[in-house]
Amino acid sequence: MQVTPGNDTFTSRIPLPAGNSHTNGTLAAAGYEAGEPRMLLDGGSVWWSWTAATSGPVTVSIAGTVVEHSPGAPPAMLLTIASGTSIVQLAEINLAVSYTKYDGRLVTSVIFDAASGLHYAIWSEGTFDVSEYDLDLAESRPPAVPLDPPAGGGR
């Protein structure tokens, strides 16, 4: 019997640190909970939380390993970013879904504009044929603008 992932519910989200971060885990034995937004017909979900230290663009990417799947619907992986403090009050910010395999993995990315201090819920749904995953979060900031004019006046 497989063990349910530790981040299988909204209340057991794994906190991601500020800045760029990476984590991995499994969707095997993950399920859905009452009130959870669902996009896929089968499978389960895993959850993370993240608080933006600064405002700006953020990219969240997930790659899931596809195991042997049964005939019928293709394997799928969904990644969603939302704000809210309870599962029934989530406000979706962005989502992406992948049905395409790259080297045996489903790869999905979401880009959104984070607001400093706002708490985000991040979750991924995978069909029963998606098992292990790698999740990456990257904050992107524009390059710093020099405050000193270039030598010679710069005009």
Side-chain angles (χ1 to χ4, degrees):
M1 180 175 193
Q2 294 181 324
V3 176
T4 303
N7 58 335
D8 188 38
T9 65
F10 179 82
T11 57
S12 64
R13 295 174 308 230
I14 294 174
L16 298 174
N20 298 340
S21 62
H22 171 84
T23 189
N24 55 29
T26 184
L27 277 156
Y32 290 106
E33 61 188 300
E36 179 176 343
R38 283 180 70 168
M39 300 292 286
L40 302 176
L41 297 176
D42 69 2
S45 64
V46 288
W47 295 78
W48 303 270
S49 61
W50 179 74
T51 302
T54 59
S55 295
V58 174
T59 303
V60 181
S61 301
I62 193 164
T65 302
V66 177
V67 294
E68 293 292 323
H69 69 279
S70 56
M77 191 159 210
L78 179 79
L79 180 64
T80 307
I81 311 298
S83 61
T85 56
S86 76
I87 198 164
V88 295
Q89 295 176 331
L90 290 174
E92 182 183 297
I93 294 169
N94 203 342
L95 71 88
V97 66
S98 176
Y99 296 99
T100 306
K101 290 191 292 185
Y102 300 95
D103 293 329
R105 302 192 90 195
L106 292 172
V107 179
T108 304
S109 294
V110 172
I111 300 171
F112 68 101
D113 287 321
S116 179
L118 191 61
H119 304 288
Y120 294 93
I122 302 168
W123 75 96
S124 181
E125 294 178 63
T127 54
F128 287 125
D129 5 55
V130 180
S131 61
E132 285 76 33
Y133 64 80
D134 289 288
L135 180 102
D136 292 290
L137 183 143
E139 294 183 59
S140 304
R141 292 184 183 84
V145 177
L147 299 177
D148 297 325
R155 293 193 177 186

